[in-house]
Amino acid sequence: KAGVTQTPRYLIKTRGQQVTLSCSPISGHRSVSWYQQTPGQGLQFLFEYFSETQRNKGNFPGRFSGRQFSNSRSEMNVSTLELGDSALYLCASSLDSWGFNEQFFGPGTRLTVL
Amino acid sequence: GENVEQHPSTLSVQEGDSAVIKCTYSDSASNYFPWYKQELGKRPQLIIDIRSNVGEKKDQRIAVTLNKTAKHFSLHITETQPEDSAVYFCAASRVGGGADGLTFGKGTHLIIQP
């Protein structure tokens, strides 16, 4: 069974631009969560999607948005990029919501904002 | 929202000795507590989790204990081996998620000295 995949693996953008990251969950998994990982703040929850609906949302500004498609693939969009958005963005999939099933993480997308 | 404190930030132990990492949480409604291991340049992987209806859980050399009254939980690794060297994250959440999703501690860098 293929693991969680994320594309692209690396991105370099400049301030003010927007970016879209993609996550393909493990086959059969319906829940996809997104996290931002930085050395200073650690791992922070962005949002979770389940069956194309945003079910949970962390404390991030509206510039961070996402969506999920009918095949459970998910995209995350960041608009008007700031230097502080430089981070590793991880997605994780599970059969259902955490607590019921293990979350499996993807390799991450390393975003650098110049 | 939930707040998770994790200590120590760095832990160095001799190979074969035990390692203990401690976390405290603030939201008494949290009832799911996973631990993740992240090796350098790799994705986080779940190593053990515990729900609030259980006080202790073991899996070979790894154990987690939970004290709901004091709102703290700990990871115990016995007979440490070089491959245990990694960053370990604790997290807390309500089963089924919630407004805060999974809230992570800042991580503990575990170093196993040969």
Side-chain angles (χ1 to χ4, degrees), chain A residues 15 19-21 32 34 39 76 78 85 92 95 100 105 112:
Chain A
R15 280 181 298 174
V19 66
T20 299
L21 314 181
V32 175
W34 287 89
M76 190 191 94
V78 188
D85 296 334
L95 283 170
F100 296 107
F105 281 85
T112 302

Side-chain angles (χ1 to χ4, degrees), chain A residues 14-29:
Chain A
T14 56
R15 280 181 298 174
Q17 287 187 310
Q18 74 167 19
V19 66
T20 299
L21 314 181
S22 180
C23 173
S24 293
I26 292 172
S27 178
H29 285 195

Side-chain angles (χ1 to χ4, degrees), chain B residues 54-66:
Chain B
V54 176
E56 184 176 4
K57 185 176 178 180
K58 288 184 180 180
D59 183 3
Q60 299 182 331
R61 297 186 297 108
I62 294 172
V64 58
T65 58
L66 171 65

Side-chain angles (χ1 to χ4, degrees), chain B residues 6 10-11 14-15 32-34 36-37 42 65 67 71 76-77 84 88 90 96:
Chain B
Q6 183 172 347
T10 304
L11 177 60
Q14 291 292 320
E15 182 178 349
Y32 175 61
F33 307 94
Y36 287 86
K37 175 184 179 182
K42 295 191 175 181
T65 58
N67 183 326
K71 288 191 276 189
H76 304 253
I77 305 174
D84 294 330
Y88 291 80
C90 63

